[in-house]
Amino acid sequence: MTSYYLIGGATLLLLALGLIMVLSASSIPSLRDGDSITGGFRNQAIYAAVAVVGAVIITRLPVRWIRRLAWPAMLGTLALQALLFTPFAVAAGGNAAWVYFAPGVGLQPSEFGKFGLAIWLGAVLATKGRLLQHWGHVLFPAVLVAGMFLGTVIYSHDVGTGLILIMLVAGALWVAGVPISKFVVAGSAVVAGLAFLVISSGNRTRRVMQFLGMGGDDDPLGANMQPERALEGLGTGGISGVGLGASREKWLWLPAAEDDYIFAIIGEELGLLGCLLVLALFAALAVGFSRVIRRHQDPFVKITTAAIGCWILGQAMVNIAVVIGLLPVIGVPLPLLSKGGSALVTTIAALAVVLAFARDEPGAKEAMAARRGSMRRSLAVIAAGGRGRG
């Protein structure tokens, strides 16, 4: 049961820490928007409660049921992506990646796309098996469908999410057994495509130039504002932080403090120790993922877990690298910690799928049955003792 408790424990701790930090970081923006000081936290808590209830159900599903959901999940999430081409699509922060059905009622289809694509890739690539040694079976249908998802994301100008999708697909293909020679060719194409996307956008070019120190922009409110303010927050926190709720950057100095830059608020309020705790919890998730991949015998489980692991851990690494200045500004949230309903719900659902896989590891069912039996015997002894005293 080590994998199950590692993944489940790390998920619950990250979720609890995320809710606390969203309460702190979103308080001032909520007041600015005319809401109560707990407005942002209240919405996040509702999403978390719904996601946890759904996760409990998912963890009880047999692996074969999850595999049967692969095609419906892929088609459903692809249909959501298609909404980006309709009047329901809304642009925010330079990306047209949101869909609103009514004021205040919306979602980000790409977050659901990650979930559906991960499960679908696991089912398809597990069926292919040794045929993945040939280009045709790699490209069709896995890479073709993944390319459709990626194309809709790039259409919405959300290059950050596109990068995470590439990591997800790469993780699935790697564990599925695709030869490294094909990764070299595909990697070259990805690098060329990213270079084109950077060059074709003035905003992206400016971000990269600023990151390389060649932007020549000394405006404190310019393109370099977020990276500089994030580093100021991290530096102010020191070893133990300025105290929970005492951040200065969240007073509208750091844009997206409760979203993409919440790691900076963690560093400011909880210090280096808080940052190390976050890194340790993601490391625990990585160990749990690798155990499931290594120990489970079902190729579908291995590939799906790899896809979900590369999505969640890769996104965490990109987000943290941006905040600490190791990457140019890329707008992706920190899983389980950043404010955002769509991202939170789909991330918890994906982790619940991996927990269902962990419950199906060799020996896990027997261990759980033995512990339930031990618990029943303990309760019976307590009850008998109570009757004896009566």
Side-chain angles (χ1 to χ4, degrees):
M1 296 300 296
T2 302
S3 305
Y4 182 82
Y5 289 120
L6 266 177
I7 297 171
T11 299
L12 289 176
L13 288 173
L14 282 169
L15 178 60
L17 178 61
L19 290 174
I20 293 171
M21 296 312 302
V22 166
L23 174 60
S24 173
S26 66
S27 57
I28 305 306
S30 294
L31 289 175
R32 176 200 59 192
D33 297 336
D35 202 345
S36 68
I37 196 170
T38 60
F41 165 77
R42 182 177 62 248
N43 294 335
Q44 189 77 351
I46 291 172
Y47 284 119
V50 172
V52 168
V53 171
V56 171
I57 297 172
I58 293 173
T59 57
R60 267 58 180 179
L61 294 178
V63 172
R64 65 180 184 277
W65 287 18
I66 296 175
R67 185 165 184 168
R68 288 173 185 168
L69 293 174
W71 279 94
M74 186 275 291
L75 294 173
T77 53
L78 196 58
L80 285 178
Q81 287 292 112
L83 292 176
L84 296 175
F85 299 90
T86 69
F88 293 110
V90 175
N95 302 330
W98 284 263
V99 172
Y100 280 89
F101 306 101
V105 180
L107 54 84
Q108 193 171 359
S110 60
E111 296 296 336
F112 294 87
K114 297 173 190 174
F115 179 74
L117 186 59
I119 296 177
W120 181 80
L121 282 173
V124 170
L125 295 176
T127 304
K128 293 280 187 177
R130 294 185 180 276
L131 295 174
L132 293 172
Q133 302 293 323
H134 307 287
W135 269 112
H137 289 281
V138 175
L139 295 174
F140 184 82
V143 174
L144 179 62
V145 173
M148 293 172 60
F149 274 100
L150 184 60
T152 58
V153 170
I154 297 301
Y155 168 80
S156 66
H157 307 291
D158 192 355
V159 176
T161 299
L163 181 61
I164 304 305
L165 280 176
I166 292 171
M167 292 182 179
L168 184 156
V169 175
L173 293 175
W174 179 266
V175 173
V178 173
I180 192 171
S181 59
K182 293 179 172 55
F183 274 93
V184 173
V185 176
S188 301
V190 168
V191 171
L194 289 175
F196 171 77
L197 290 174
V198 170
I199 295 172
S200 62
S201 169
N203 182 44
R204 297 188 198 112
T205 302
R206 186 167 60 255
R207 289 183 180 184
V208 173
M209 296 297 287
Q210 287 287 348
F211 172 72
L212 297 175
M214 298 185 293
D217 185 3
D218 296 326
D219 182 3
L221 300 179
N224 226 18
M225 177 177 64
Q226 281 181 300
E228 290 181 357
R229 295 274 170 80
L231 291 176
E232 288 174 5
L234 289 170
T236 302
I239 299 296
S240 58
V242 298
L244 189 61
S247 167
R248 299 177 182 86
E249 296 296 332
K250 72 180 181 183
W251 286 78
L252 308 183
W253 287 101
L254 175 62
E258 72 276 28
D259 300 324
D260 300 345
Y261 279 84
I262 199 166
F263 190 72
I265 305 301
I266 294 174
E268 185 182 9
E269 294 191 353
L270 304 181
L272 176 63
L273 296 178
C275 293
L276 291 177
L277 173 62
V278 171
L279 295 176
L281 291 174
F282 279 114
L285 283 180
V287 173
F289 290 146
S290 63
R291 281 180 57 88
V292 173
I293 294 170
R294 188 173 64 251
R295 289 171 51 83
H296 211 287
Q297 300 174 351
D298 190 341
F300 164 70
V301 170
K302 293 175 178 287
I303 297 167
T304 304
T305 301
I308 291 173
C310 288
W311 154 22
I312 294 175
L313 298 176
Q315 186 166 314
M317 288 191 295
V318 169
N319 177 278
I320 293 172
V322 169
V323 173
I324 65 178
L326 295 181
L327 284 176
V329 176
I330 301 173
V332 295
L334 186 56
L336 298 173
L337 294 168
S338 292
K339 180 174 176 287
S342 297
L344 183 65
V345 168
T346 53
T347 300
I348 291 177
L351 288 165
V353 167
V354 180
L355 283 173
F357 295 159
R359 289 168 61 94
D360 195 58
E361 275 188 11
K365 292 180 179 178
E366 292 79 3
M368 295 188 72
R371 293 188 180 187
R372 283 196 294 266
S374 176
M375 179 63 70
R376 284 195 295 268
R377 288 192 296 271
S378 299
L379 293 175
V381 169
I382 294 171
R387 288 194 298 270
R389 288 190 298 270

